[in-house]
């Protein structure tokens, strides 16, 4: 492929919560850009991961899992997902091999019927089912929509992910390289830092503090050549949740900080001094101004 026919484009990932969209995105770009958790609804913004090879660049938009909105935050997530489908060159509809097709999938399929771009069915988590069961799993979706291609993958183990990338590249239009080859996300560092802290809150507190958490990174300052000082508030809705996050004698907060600091150091390539506080803001998810304060701006993501 000569330099003149370099291919590039934007690809949206859509699917029900917990089908492995973030895991797939992280595998493709080779680094963590989307947070992963087995708590549904972890991804809140359209996270862009960038895959670049010598002859192509794909900018992936990982949309929040589709669900019925219950709050203003839920509303934002829903609009965020649907708007992404109108901005791309192709769509990956990601489903889970170990779950039956459900009402959430039907809802997405109805929306996808209005999309003119090529749609690929990506059947993820094939490592969790017997290969003989795959045709039956695929058949549930095949009748509902005319897919450009159907690719079974394991995002966790990397099975068939290269095949998926190759199929996308052949379909992308010729175009420029939008981002430098080494760049893997277009999000500001503060956003990614906040996501890494939020991931640790999800992992360690499980169901106790589900979606009532936002991270407000208040400062990122370089102390010297190899040390960065970061301060952030973990924002919750109720005093009880604050107690859970702080833990006995501050043990939970310390653990969240240690794990997040490790990921942030990998991201920045520097020593990180991370200070965390927990702040109670009742009903923040239903207050439009606060959603903006905590990073949920349509124009940004």
């Amino acid at each position: 492929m000569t330099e003149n026919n370099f291919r590039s484009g934007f690809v949206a990932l859509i699917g029900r919560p917990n089908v492995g969209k973030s895991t797939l995105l992280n595998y493709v770009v080779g680094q963590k850009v989307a947070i992963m958790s087995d708590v549904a609804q972890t991804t809140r913004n359209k996270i862009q991961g960038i895959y670049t090879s010598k002859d192509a660049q794909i900018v992936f938009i990982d949309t929040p899992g589709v669900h019925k909105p219950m709050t203003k935050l839920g509303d934002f997530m829903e609009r965020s997902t649907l708007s992404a489908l109108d901005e791309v060159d192709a769509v990956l509809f990601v489903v889970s091999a170990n779950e039956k097709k459900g009402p959430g999938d039907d809802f997405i399929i109805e929306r996808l019927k209005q999309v003119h771009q090529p749609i690929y069915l990506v059947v993820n988590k094939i490592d969790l089912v017997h290969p003989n069961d795959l045709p039956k799993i695929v058949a549930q979706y095949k009748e509902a929509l005319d897919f450009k291609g159907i690719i079974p993958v394991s995002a966790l183990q990397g099975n068939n992910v290269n095949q998926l990338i190759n199929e996308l590249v052949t379909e992308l239009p010729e175009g420029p390289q939008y981002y430098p080859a080494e760049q893997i996300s277009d999000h500001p560092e503060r956003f990614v830092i906040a996501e890494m802290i939020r991931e640790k809150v999800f992992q360690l507190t499980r169901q106790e503090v589900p979606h009532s958490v936002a991270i407000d990174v208040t400062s990122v300052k370089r102390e010297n050549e190899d040390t960065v000082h970061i301060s952030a508030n973990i924002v919750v809705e109720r005093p009880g949740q604050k107690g859970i996050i702080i833990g006995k004698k501050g043990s939970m907060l310390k653990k969240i900080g240690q794990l997040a600091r490790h990921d942030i150091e990998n991201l920045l390539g520097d020593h990180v001094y991370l200070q965390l506080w927990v702040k109670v803001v009742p009903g923040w998810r239903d207050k439009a101004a606060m959603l903006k304060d905590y990073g949920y701006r349509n124009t940004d993501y």
Side-chain angles (χ1 to χ4, degrees):
M1 199 176 266
T2 65
E3 202 170 60
N4 290 341
N5 46 17
F6 187 89
R7 294 178 182 273
S8 63
F10 294 79
V11 173
L13 292 149
I14 190 167
R16 280 195 298 172
N18 273 4
V19 292
K21 300 182 298 295
S22 298
T23 311
L24 179 61
L25 182 63
N26 291 337
Y27 185 89
V28 167
V29 302
Q31 199 174 322
K32 186 181 285 186
V33 290
I35 75 171
M36 295 183 290
S37 160
D38 55 9
V39 178
Q41 291 303 315
T42 311
T43 302
R44 285 191 189 155
N45 297 91
K46 293 185 291 187
I47 295 177
Q48 297 196 322
I50 304 158
Y51 164 87
T52 309
S53 67
K54 65 182 192 318
D55 46 28
Q57 184 168 78
I58 308 173
V59 181
F60 287 94
I61 300 171
D62 178 24
T63 58
V66 174
H67 69 304
K68 192 175 176 185
M70 305 294 281
T71 60
K72 274 207 174 73
L73 172 60
D75 239 9
F76 173 90
M77 291 163 75
E78 182 76 6
R79 287 199 309 275
S80 180
T81 300
L82 301 180
S83 70
L85 300 180
D86 302 319
E87 303 162 1
V88 295
D89 299 289
V91 176
L92 301 183
F93 175 29
V94 186
V95 301
S96 189
N98 65 336
E99 285 179 33
K100 282 200 170 85
K101 178 163 144 311
D105 296 303
D106 295 331
F107 177 85
I108 295 168
I109 287 164
E110 284 310 305
R111 178 64 181 88
L112 289 176
K113 285 176 181 174
Q114 303 161 40
V115 172
H116 302 299
Q117 294 86 340
I119 300 165
Y120 294 84
L121 177 68
V122 179
V123 183
N124 189 24
K125 306 188 185 183
I126 56 169
D127 49 305
L128 301 180
V129 298
H130 194 281
N132 293 349
D133 294 333
L134 268 178
K136 195 168 65 188
I137 294 159
V138 168
Q140 301 176 83
Y141 297 93
K142 213 173 175 181
E143 300 154 8
L145 207 62
D146 185 19
F147 294 103
K148 176 77 183 173
I150 296 169
I151 303 140
V153 304
S154 167
L156 200 59
Q157 298 180 354
N159 304 6
N160 295 344
V161 176
N162 284 343
Q163 183 198 331
L164 172 62
I165 295 292
N166 293 339
E167 290 213 21
L168 285 174
V169 169
T170 58
E171 283 302 315
L172 287 179
E174 288 186 14
Q177 184 173 316
Y178 294 102
Y179 297 98
E182 67 282 359
Q183 191 170 337
I184 57 154
S185 177
D186 78 338
H187 278 313
E189 272 174 1
R190 275 183 192 232
F191 175 83
V192 183
I193 289 166
E195 288 292 270
M196 286 175 169
I197 298 167
R198 199 159 65 87
E199 176 183 60
K200 303 312 170 197
V201 174
F202 273 120
Q203 284 176 350
L204 294 171
T205 63
R206 296 289 162 188
Q207 301 296 341
E208 294 172 291
V209 189
H211 299 296
S212 318
V213 176
I215 308 297
D216 183 17
V217 177
T218 51
S219 89
V220 180
K221 289 178 185 164
R222 184 166 285 284
E223 296 282 295
N224 52 46
E225 254 184 50
D226 61 357
T227 306
V228 177
H229 193 297
I230 297 168
S231 300
N233 291 323
I234 298 173
V235 182
V236 294
E237 287 187 313
R238 295 193 300 277
Q241 294 166 337
K242 180 177 180 175
I244 291 165
I245 287 176
I246 291 173
K248 201 174 179 182
K249 293 183 179 171
S251 58
M252 179 60 80
L253 191 61
K254 188 178 177 186
K255 205 168 179 185
I256 290 166
Q258 284 171 340
L259 293 177
R261 184 171 57 81
H262 180 262
D263 275 4
I264 297 164
E265 285 182 337
N266 285 341
L267 171 78
L268 301 180
D270 288 304
H271 292 301
V272 167
Y273 180 63
L274 177 64
Q275 279 188 301
L276 297 176
W277 286 270
V278 187
K279 190 174 163 187
V280 179
V281 181
W284 72 263
R285 289 183 296 171
D286 269 328
K287 294 173 182 168
M290 285 182 180
L291 288 176
K292 284 183 181 165
D293 285 348
Y294 300 146
Y296 304 110
R297 297 179 180 89
N298 285 327
T299 51
D300 285 355
Y301 311 116

